[in-house]
Amino acid sequence: MKLLLPIIFLLFFVQCTQKQTTDQELNNKIQVAVFDGHGGAQTCIWETVAAVKLDTDMSVRTITTADIANNVLDSLDAIIIPGGGGSRQFLNLSALNQQRIKDFVASGGGIVGICAGAYLLSNTPDYACMQLNGAQAIDIEHDNRGHGISKFTLTDEGKKIFPEIAKRDTLFVMYYEGPVFIKKENDTISYETLAIMESDVHEEGNAPKNMTNNKPFFITNSYGKGRIFSSIAHPEATPGMMWMIPRMVRWTLNLPIKEYKSEVVNPDIFNREILMSISDLKQESAYYQTFLYGSAEEKIVAMDWLQSKHSWAAKRWVQGLLFDADASVRVRAAKYIADTHYIHYLPDLRAAYNSEKETQTKQQLKEQLDKLENIRDGF
């Protein structure tokens, strides 16, 4: 008994020391929150959280309107408003929480708005917005204009913030019905354009031609002591470009640039425009039925096509195929998830690997699991 007491005390001391170290490491990290309120698209929230996790200096969590009302902003360095529906996010926050966010930024906090989040931060007449970034969205009656991998170019100022891709003439990232911005007349806030949209997206909703091209893609501005970064597009949903989200957070906090591995910074994954046509959308919808009722061969054909189009909708469908009855489908689903850098499904891919009984299939799943984990550990 005399020997046991010192051992028990030592174990207790080690555990307490480890916990204190972990808590201290957490407290030393950049504290980032992604708004998870009514109006935020679930996949946009997942992808944004995953993108922030790429930066090992950052700790990320989701927050709700209740959290904001309970003063969670006092413990944060930056917040991100993800894609979804800006007006619904506006309603979910309402006046008091919107003012809390404004006060947070004015006192030195950072904020990033992505797509609908950028809409929310704009000063657009006849639209529910917070008037924070000096931009006005136009042609909002054709908001559902289309989506796909769009092309953009960096301005000289943008090249300073994203030096890894500064020498490229044209870059590609996912766009999904984001705002078409112009400067808001007579607004006291002045923004700077870091990137220009080069794609003309008008396939859906009878949208007019030549509306999106030559408009701002990324804009930045100051608000009080804080800084705001607005993106009309979705780097967090683009393999090889997800790192741009934590870089945006760093800019809002005036923090130094952090270097990334080539597995994370990979603009070569997309080297052309891939905009979804009306016929593409019909085919995409049909493949949902294939996933439900098709043969193994048909499911693999569907995944090949959907990945070639970087389908926005399919990322919600593919996860379940990790547990398909057919081994070839399981392996192809794993490759789809690894190739698209869908870090949110990392626990599912691990579970598929751990539960796999077939030796060859297990090895193939391990290859894809290793690829995805290497992306996750990309800094």
Side-chain angles (χ1 to χ4, degrees), residues 308-325:
S308 74
K309 296 291 184 178
H310 197 56
S311 164
W312 179 275
K315 57 194 172 189
R316 293 295 297 266
W317 310 338
V318 172
Q319 174 268 345
L321 297 181
L322 287 170
F323 310 101
D324 191 85

Side-chain angles (χ1 to χ4, degrees), residues 113-175:
I114 304 172
C115 194
Y119 256 124
L120 179 64
L121 300 179
S122 74
N123 186 357
T124 300
D126 301 318
Y127 186 83
C129 51
M130 292 175 60
Q131 303 171 14
L132 280 172
N133 68 12
Q136 170 186 343
I138 60 172
D139 196 41
I140 59 177
E141 60 269 30
H142 297 110
D143 178 60
N144 62 329
R145 65 186 68 254
H147 67 278
I149 298 297
S150 63
K151 55 186 177 180
F152 71 99
T153 54
L154 291 172
T155 65
D156 289 342
E157 193 62 30
K159 291 175 182 179
K160 295 176 185 177
I161 299 174
F162 305 107
E164 299 92 333
I165 50 178
K167 294 182 180 179
R168 290 180 171 262
D169 293 332
T170 306
L171 296 144
F172 301 87
V173 79
M174 171 60 75
Y175 168 87

